[in-house]
Amino acid sequence: MMRPAPTPSFEHRIKAQAYGHGFDLVGIAPLGVAETAAAFDAWLERGFAGDMHYLERRADVRRDSRLPVPGATCAIVVALDYGGRQSPGPVARYARGDDYHDLMLDRLRALHAWIESEVGRPVPGKAYVDTGPILERDLARRAGLGWFGKNANLINPGMGSYFFIGSLLLALELTPDAPFETDHCGRCTRCLDACPTQAFVAPGVLDAQRCISYLTIELRGDIPVELRPLLGSFVYGCDVCQEVCPWNRKFARELSEPAFVPREALAGKDARALALELLTMSQAEFSAAFKSSPMKRAKLPGLKRNSSVVLG
């Protein structure tokens, strides 16, 4: 006589639903005092955030992930791959298609609605994707999704690091997954050695003021003269510390999310062609060509500045 198959747990069904929404990794983390809060505070005090003063806001919420949602006890943490097998180029891989924030938030909110329908009542909760005072890497490691690499990225042993992280904080009792306790970087220092601007002051500690991603995206003033020659061909962002990582060289995936396919304004363009095009663009042309693009964060004047440096 065959035994009936065991009934899947609610946690298992939640993960299946998350995968069904297109996420590539899913884990459940307990909320509470963030393990990395003290290190993040020290990082801010050392001035490594540069002009990103918004990172200092709501420090109490950042230090304790239970505070954004009253009664919240857990987070469903997800990852969405953006295609590390794409060729290098003047724009970082994550920014070549549509903005990931809206895409992931919509999917997390849909997951939240499904959970409420399953439990038959409203469940207080809030979705975050990279824009709230949440130390998402901390939650992702708690949820078992990976470890902190020496390049400060979260690395998953089966997927590398070319993925976005999102979290859904919930006032709901769920069994958490085991945290990711081990480090698999070993003695490797390829990411530290390859950084064009030597932005890492120690393994896992990035001085954003020297990082090409910061210089081409977040910095609103002039790029320091001494760093300009080091930008090379990067018009927006930089992937070097990920490109050289052995975990990405082995496990990075082909692009599979249609929303992240490079837009027409970028496809096939080298740094010179893109820089020349951006320098001659009007605001109306830019708004049309880069609608829903992460590159709008740098604004057209910032991209013209970057283009001038690259051409120079």
Side-chain angles (χ1 to χ4, degrees):
M1 181 177 177
M2 293 182 62
R3 294 182 180 179
T7 302
S9 67
F10 190 37
E11 290 82 359
H12 180 87
R13 291 166 55 217
I14 288 173
K15 292 178 183 179
Q17 190 72 13
Y19 286 123
H21 281 297
F23 293 118
D24 296 290
L25 297 173
V26 189
I28 300 173
L31 300 181
V33 176
E35 297 168 3
T36 56
F40 190 81
D41 288 342
W43 183 79
L44 289 173
E45 289 172 6
R46 295 177 72 180
F48 290 153
D51 291 340
M52 297 184 289
H53 301 299
Y54 58 85
L55 293 176
E56 301 170 9
R57 300 174 194 157
R58 303 187 69 192
D60 57 335
V61 175
R62 186 179 67 242
R63 292 168 186 148
D64 191 334
S65 54
R66 292 170 295 190
L67 298 182
V69 178
T73 58
C74 70
I76 299 168
V77 188
V78 298
L80 181 61
D81 191 274
Y82 57 86
R85 293 293 179 194
Q86 299 179 68
S87 298
V91 174
R93 290 166 177 81
Y94 86 89
R96 297 174 185 176
D98 289 343
D99 196 319
Y100 62 94
H101 296 93
D102 294 337
L103 177 73
M104 294 185 69
L105 282 171
D106 286 346
R107 293 181 181 182
L108 285 169
R109 288 165 182 159
L111 178 63
H112 187 187
W114 178 85
I115 290 171
E116 290 184 319
S117 70
E118 288 296 300
V119 299
R121 60 176 174 82
V123 177
K126 185 173 178 61
Y128 284 97
V129 179
D130 194 32
T131 54
I134 302 295
L135 296 178
E136 289 168 311
R137 288 188 321 155
D138 189 288
L139 284 179
R141 184 167 67 177
R142 284 191 187 192
L145 302 191
W147 76 96
F148 301 162
K150 291 178 182 177
N151 61 3
N153 285 293
L154 189 82
I155 303 176
N156 178 271
M159 201 165 79
S161 64
Y162 287 107
F163 55 81
F164 305 115
I165 300 172
S167 55
L168 176 61
L169 278 57
L170 293 172
L172 185 66
E173 292 297 331
L174 294 173
T175 302
D177 290 297
F180 203 102
E181 301 281 13
T182 53
D183 183 300
H184 296 273
C185 289
R187 297 181 180 178
C188 179
T189 60
R190 293 183 192 182
C191 58
L192 310 181
D193 300 335
C195 178
T197 56
Q198 295 299 290
F200 294 99
V201 300
V205 183
L206 175 74
D207 181 354
Q209 298 172 105
R210 295 186 63 85
C211 176
I212 290 175
S213 289
Y214 169 81
L215 295 170
T216 58
I217 301 172
E218 297 291 339
L219 181 65
R220 292 294 176 253
D222 294 333
I223 295 173
V225 174
E226 68 275 12
L227 295 179
R228 293 177 190 176
L230 305 179
L231 258 64
S233 61
F234 296 113
V235 175
Y236 187 96
C238 174
D239 281 328
V240 169
C241 68
Q242 296 195 90
E243 289 172 352
V244 300
C245 177
W247 291 96
N248 281 325
R249 296 208 164 193
K250 186 171 184 179
F251 295 110
R253 301 180 178 183
E254 297 290 346
L255 177 61
S256 60
E257 172 54 60
F260 301 148
V261 171
R263 61 189 53 235
E264 185 179 349
L266 299 174
K269 291 187 174 71
D270 62 15
R272 178 177 174 80
L274 178 60
L276 288 171
E277 189 169 315
L278 286 168
L279 281 171
T280 59
M281 264 190 184
S282 67
Q283 183 59 53
E285 291 170 333
F286 174 70
S287 297
F290 290 93
K291 182 181 179 181
S292 302
S293 167
M295 291 180 65
K296 294 185 75 173
R297 181 165 181 80
K299 306 185 186 310
L300 183 56
L303 291 169
K304 287 180 181 288
R305 174 203 62 190
N306 301 344
S307 298
S308 298
V309 171
V310 166
L311 291 174

